[in-house]
Amino acid sequence: PIIASRTVGSGKVVIAVISSSCRNGRWNSTYLPENYRKLDVLLDKAFQWIVPGATKVLWYGGDGTFGTLENEYNVYNHVGRCSELIATLKNKGYTVDNTIDGTFTSITSALASKDPDILVIPQMELGDKGTGGDPSLLPDWEVESIYDFVAVQGKGLLIMEGNDTFGYNYERVQNKVLRRLDTGIYFQSDVV
């Protein structure tokens, strides 16, 4: 995994090119040697660096239930696709919630109602495939809410991108958040 971290105001951000690795059967594939199946350990260490003592994680996006609205910002690596990793994180003492309670919930309202220690954004796929995405589809008020959550409230963000060689790279969308946080570290179409 390619991972970087930054302190932003009172909070911290971890920037990672691991969104597709989080999916069931990838991070924990039996084809991998046992010592490579440790993404849960890496995330636990990252969460504790971001907010020491953190227990409440908001994994942005839906649950993948057929026929329900996953989320307005098209998160592909939602809690349904990453349920095995999330179950392992729960076994480590985290409560991991998503933003869907039967209807769409914005990032802003989810942060207010769920009051997490850490927000996980596992790649928002907004815009056309192969273009880097369309950051204008992520409203400025949502980005300001993320900024306030991290920099002002002193909470944390794990933001992921896939940088997929098949065109599923939406780095321009995630970079809209990173630019507002002034991290100095950004995604591009293949690496951080």
Side-chain angles (χ1 to χ4, degrees):
I2 301 171
I3 297 178
S5 60
R6 281 281 192 254
T7 298
V8 177
S10 298
K12 294 179 181 172
V13 178
V14 171
I15 305 158
V17 184
I18 60 171
S19 67
S20 60
S21 300
C22 292
R23 281 183 250 156
N24 299 341
R26 293 209 173 172
W27 71 277
N28 59 348
S29 171
T30 56
Y31 292 109
L32 295 172
E34 178 67 30
N35 61 335
Y36 285 107
R37 292 182 249 156
K38 302 292 184 190
L39 186 56
D40 59 319
V41 174
L42 180 64
L43 291 184
D44 177 41
K45 298 297 183 191
F47 290 166
Q48 292 306 306
W49 175 81
I50 292 170
V51 178
T55 59
K56 292 178 68 178
V57 176
L58 175 64
W59 191 285
Y60 180 71
D63 61 7
T65 304
F66 180 75
T68 63
L69 179 64
E70 288 184 5
N71 55 73
E72 188 169 335
Y73 305 124
N74 201 29
V75 172
Y76 183 77
N77 298 299
H78 52 67
V79 296
R81 287 192 176 96
C82 302
S83 62
E84 294 166 1
L85 177 59
I86 289 168
T88 303
L89 292 170
K90 287 179 177 180
N91 287 337
K92 292 183 179 300
Y94 294 97
T95 57
V96 183
D97 204 349
N98 67 21
T99 54
I100 303 302
D101 291 320
T103 59
F104 169 72
T105 304
S106 71
I107 295 170
T108 301
S109 61
L111 290 174
S113 65
K114 309 279 185 177
D115 191 33
D117 300 312
I118 297 167
L119 169 64
V120 175
I121 299 177
Q123 186 183 32
M124 296 175 282
E125 295 184 350
L126 297 171
D128 294 331
K129 176 182 161 186
T131 65
D134 183 353
S136 71
L137 297 174
L138 177 63
D140 293 341
W141 58 271
E142 292 276 45
V143 175
E144 284 304 311
S145 179
I146 296 167
Y147 174 83
D148 179 74
F149 177 75
V150 175
V152 178
Q153 296 178 41
K155 305 247 182 145
L157 171 65
L158 167 61
I159 188 166
M160 296 184 253
E161 173 58 42
N163 299 110
D164 196 306
T165 56
F166 295 109
Y168 293 99
N169 39 332
Y170 297 86
E171 74 278 354
R172 293 174 54 222
V173 178
Q174 277 61 238
N175 284 345
K176 181 173 182 175
V177 174
L178 295 175
R179 288 191 200 305
R180 176 61 184 105
L181 291 168
D182 195 22
T183 59
I185 300 171
Y186 307 102
F187 296 107
Q188 61 183 44
S189 63
D190 59 352
V191 294
V192 171

